[in-house]
Amino acid sequence: MIETLHISNYALIDRVDITFHPGFNIITGETGAGKSIMLGALSLLLGGRADSKAVRDPKMKSVTEAVFSVRGYGSLENICKENDIDWDDEHIILRREISPGGRSRAFVNDTPVTVSVLQQIALQLVDIHSQHQNLLLVSPPYQLRVIDSLAGNEERLKKFSEIFGRYRHAVKQFQLTRRNIEQAREEEEYLRYQYQQLQEAQLEEGEQEDLEREREVLINIADIKESLATVLRTLGDGEENVDSLLKSASDEADSLTDLLEGTEGIPERLHAMRVECQDIYQTFAEADRQLGADPRQLEAVEERLNMIYDLERRHKVDSVGELIALRDSISQRLRSIDLGDESLHSLQIAAKRAKKEALDMAREISAVRRKTAEEFGKILKERALPLGMKNLQVEIAVKETELTSTGIDFIEFLFAFNKNQQPMPVGSTASGGEISRLMLSIKSIVADKMQLPSIIFDEVDTGVSGDVANRMGEMMHDIASNIQVMAITHLPQVAAQGNAHYKVFKEDTETSTVTRICELTPEERVDELAVMLSGSSVNEAARANARSLLGLGK
């Protein structure tokens, strides 16, 4: 529930700090006193649009902050942890700030959050029901949510959502594959021509780089041959070469090892050097022989490279690796064409199986909805009867539709308010006052299922009076036995039902007019009800009437 509300620098409010109570909280005040302003500030915590025009003093920011008690209400803990918000088992604090420039910032437990996260959390803490929200009653999606809430369908719908998601994925896969196969079949002849060219090329990964290096060698073969000849002469072919010199040095060193201390092992080292040089000689000699093996080799290399370059230009790629990948991709597409009917059949079976699973779950939900709708119609008629709707007929129509993300049901609330009248959609048959009473009746029925700590009724009793107003007050009071209820009202019969009473009023300061709110004492409450009963002049008769009303309060 809402424990405290702070509003500063917002419209006519310079600063307001209010402490609310469990049960039924009443808010009254003259028209224009600022009740709607206070509600507008509170709606900012529910993700409402921030407007810089609402900032009272352009030199300061506007702040709206509410402290909610969440004892025994741990469903928000996961949301907070997912968004790195510190969690407190006792309280949660929502704050919205608006700068004079219109920039908005949102906080939960002093952690900066996006407005969408703030809204996600706030909507699980408080429900603001105002007159314009009565239009929800004519909305089929809202009507469906009411029935699902009463039916306790949350877990069933969660399971159905997963099943329906799998069904939609299966259908998408089938449609995508069918589209790809149809497109591939249109291009089949060209694809086979491309694949044949790439297959016949017998491409190998990395061969382009190898061929380009080989071509570079062949183009410069004369210079390479001359360098090779010099190396070979130096190592072994010349009159004086490294091999003969190392042999001579090794023989002489061998004769010195017995005479010179510290020369042991040098002959072996010279021999090892000679072996290494001989190996180098053989490597270069083999390279020399290969370079001279085929004079047409350069022509063959150039021809192969030109073929590769032509394929790369044709297919707009830069490497043999990409050509190989393209070849394999075309091969896969051709296999898909060849196996297309078989693949489509398998995917179609999978989609049908997924649809059947979704339909089975949807029918299970539908059966619960139909039973709940029948019970709800009876309860709603009984609940609305004391509100002056003695001829009310209620029919909750549940019609089967195509499978959608909500199931297979279209739900429509049908009402008749007079005898011998056929039930019709509420939007075409009910007055504003009748819709208000219906909505209050529905809220009273679903209050236990809403799992909301607080609900705010904003003048939902407009258009009623007398005993009906008293009955509406009693109904709100009954709802408040389970959750915190706040009601903004002009009716003394409703106001008298409250456990706590707050008055919104305007006050003139030296420089401006501001909106204030205060909790009334028992005597002040008598005076406020007396004013509401008789107008601006308050006499003892009006006070007596007010005391009588309060005596009827629970």
Side-chain angles (χ1 to χ4, degrees):
M1 71 170 200
I2 303 176
E3 289 191 349
T4 63
L5 176 65
H6 165 85
I7 306 169
S8 61
N9 199 35
Y10 183 83
L12 292 179
I13 298 174
D14 56 355
R15 182 185 179 93
V16 160
D17 289 284
I18 321 164
T19 298
F20 291 106
H21 302 278
F24 193 14
N25 295 263
I26 294 294
I27 300 173
T28 60
E30 296 179 1
T31 300
K35 299 186 297 298
S36 61
I37 294 174
M38 189 181 70
L39 201 61
L42 186 59
S43 69
L44 290 172
L45 298 180
L46 276 76
R49 180 177 174 272
D51 188 350
S52 61
K53 295 178 182 177
V55 178
R56 175 181 174 83
D57 185 343
K59 297 187 291 296
M60 301 167 57
K61 65 184 177 183
S62 172
V63 177
T64 302
E65 181 178 281
V67 178
F68 292 83
S69 169
V70 290
R71 284 185 292 271
Y73 199 78
S75 61
L76 289 172
E77 184 174 358
N78 288 337
I79 299 177
C80 288
K81 289 183 176 179
E82 287 169 5
N83 291 279
D84 297 322
I85 299 168
D86 291 336
W87 175 251
D88 178 351
D89 290 332
E90 296 290 320
H91 298 94
I92 193 168
I93 304 171
L94 309 187
R95 185 167 81 253
R96 188 86 179 270
E97 299 178 355
I98 309 173
S99 69
R103 183 169 176 267
S104 168
R105 299 179 69 197
F107 302 84
V108 177
N109 288 347
D110 289 326
T111 300
V113 297
T114 63
V115 173
S116 62
V117 170
L118 177 75
Q119 184 179 51
Q120 184 183 6
I121 292 173
L123 288 176
Q124 295 196 48
L125 292 169
V126 62
D127 174 33
I128 299 180
H129 183 81
S130 57
Q131 277 184 284
H132 75 271
Q133 284 183 304
N134 286 336
L135 298 175
L136 284 173
L137 187 55
V138 305
S139 163
Y142 175 77
Q143 296 172 1
L144 181 63
R145 287 199 301 274
V146 168
I147 297 301
D148 280 332
S149 176
L150 290 171
N153 273 337
E154 183 178 354
E155 288 302 317
R156 295 186 190 93
L157 287 170
K158 183 178 179 180
K159 181 179 177 182
F160 172 76
S161 179
E162 295 172 356
I163 296 172
F164 186 78
R166 291 197 295 270
Y167 161 62
R168 292 298 304 157
H169 178 72
V171 170
K172 186 177 180 180
Q173 286 295 106
F174 171 75
Q175 292 173 339
L176 179 62
T177 302
R178 182 175 61 185
R179 187 163 55 248
N180 288 341
I181 290 174
E182 289 172 352
Q183 184 180 358
R185 280 176 176 160
E186 292 174 0
E187 304 171 353
E188 182 177 0
E189 184 177 348
Y190 181 58
L191 286 173
R192 294 198 183 280
Y193 167 73
Q194 286 185 312
Y195 179 72
Q196 184 178 357
Q197 274 194 324
L198 293 169
Q199 183 70 5
E200 289 176 351
Q202 296 183 342
L203 300 166
E204 295 181 8
E205 190 75 49
E207 72 167 307
Q208 180 178 339
E209 292 78 6
D210 292 340
L211 287 168
E212 287 172 342
R213 281 193 297 270
E214 186 177 356
R215 180 181 60 181
E216 191 67 23
V217 169
L218 293 171
I219 288 173
N220 298 284
I221 193 168
D223 293 336
I224 294 171
K225 279 280 193 180
E226 184 177 340
S227 296
L228 283 170
T230 301
V231 172
L232 293 172
R233 281 196 306 270
T234 302
L235 290 175
D237 290 346
E239 292 183 5
E240 282 195 2
N241 54 68
V242 172
D243 183 63
S244 62
L245 291 173
L246 284 174
K247 183 179 182 305
S248 176
S250 178
D251 292 343
E252 294 298 330
D254 190 46
S255 66
L256 293 173
T257 54
D258 292 335
L259 302 174
L260 296 177
E261 187 178 350
T263 61
E264 301 84 356
I266 288 180
E268 290 78 5
R269 290 165 62 187
L270 287 169
H271 178 72
M273 291 173 64
R274 186 183 175 199
V275 171
E276 179 68 17
C277 287
Q278 288 172 347
D279 185 62
I280 294 171
Y281 173 88
Q282 292 298 329
T283 300
F284 279 115
E286 180 62 25
D288 184 53
R289 284 191 295 273
Q290 288 181 356
L291 283 177
D294 187 356
R296 294 172 299 179
Q297 192 173 359
L298 178 60
E299 182 180 344
V301 169
E302 291 282 12
E303 184 178 342
R304 180 69 176 171
L305 280 172
N306 286 336
M307 183 271 291
I308 291 173
Y309 294 153
D310 182 58
L311 286 173
E312 289 176 347
R313 282 193 299 271
R314 190 175 303 173
H315 295 288
K316 298 180 180 178
V317 297
D318 298 318
S319 69
V320 170
E322 290 177 279
L323 286 173
I324 291 172
L326 178 61
R327 179 196 66 198
D328 294 343
S329 174
I330 294 174
S331 176
Q332 181 62 40
R333 293 179 68 182
L334 290 172
R335 280 197 296 272
S336 296
I337 293 172
D338 295 336
L339 301 173
D341 291 338
E342 184 179 338
S343 298
L344 273 181
H345 183 63
S346 297
L347 288 170
Q348 189 175 39
I349 289 174
K352 287 181 177 179
R353 189 182 297 117
K355 183 176 182 179
K356 182 182 183 304
E357 188 179 2
L359 277 171
D360 289 344
M361 189 69 213
R363 291 191 178 105
E364 179 183 331
I365 293 171
S366 181
V368 178
R369 284 171 173 167
R370 289 176 184 276
K371 182 180 179 182
T372 302
E374 185 177 354
E375 295 171 351
F376 172 66
K378 295 175 183 177
I379 297 171
L380 180 57
K381 183 177 179 179
E382 293 172 0
R383 196 65 60 92
L385 181 63
L387 302 184
M389 306 177 82
K390 62 180 181 178
N391 295 318
L392 177 68
Q393 300 176 57
V394 180
E395 180 182 331
I396 311 300
V398 183
K399 302 173 185 176
E400 186 168 329
T401 65
E402 291 294 319
L403 182 66
T404 69
S405 60
T406 60
I408 55 170
D409 300 307
F410 175 79
I411 291 182
E412 188 172 32
F413 291 4
L414 305 174
F415 300 98
F417 297 90
N418 303 302
K419 292 181 178 180
N420 301 319
Q421 181 183 8
Q422 288 296 317
M424 299 172 64
V426 65
S428 58
T429 185
S431 67
E434 287 168 332
I435 290 178
S436 291
R437 282 176 277 172
L438 281 175
M439 278 300 287
L440 179 58
S441 300
I442 291 171
K443 290 281 186 179
S444 72
I445 295 169
V446 302
D448 293 339
K449 303 287 185 178
M450 289 171 65
Q451 295 183 334
L452 282 172
S454 304
I455 184 170
I456 299 173
F457 291 110
D458 179 21
E459 299 185 359
V460 294
D461 48 20
T462 298
V464 299
S465 59
D467 185 58
V468 172
N470 186 59
R471 299 282 185 177
M472 291 184 77
E474 290 177 346
M475 188 173 289
M476 292 185 210
H477 189 279
D478 289 340
I479 297 172
S481 64
N482 296 314
I483 61 177
Q484 182 190 52
V485 174
M486 283 182 271
I488 298 173
T489 182
H490 289 288
L491 298 179
Q493 296 94 329
V494 173
Q497 300 287 340
N499 304 115
H501 192 147
Y502 301 83
K503 181 177 181 179
V504 179
F505 57 96
K506 285 183 179 178
E507 181 178 84
D508 292 332
T509 67
E510 293 182 359
T511 57
S512 61
T513 300
V514 296
T515 290
R516 306 285 193 209
I517 182 170
C518 66
E519 183 175 358
L520 300 179
T521 65
E523 279 306 310
E524 289 171 337
R525 191 175 182 190
V526 169
D527 289 342
E528 175 68 8
L529 286 176
V531 170
M532 296 174 72
L533 284 164
S534 62
S536 57
S537 59
V538 178
N539 51 42
E540 194 52 42
R543 288 191 177 92
N545 198 359
R547 290 190 183 95
S548 177
L549 277 179
L550 289 170
L552 293 175
K554 296 181 180 178

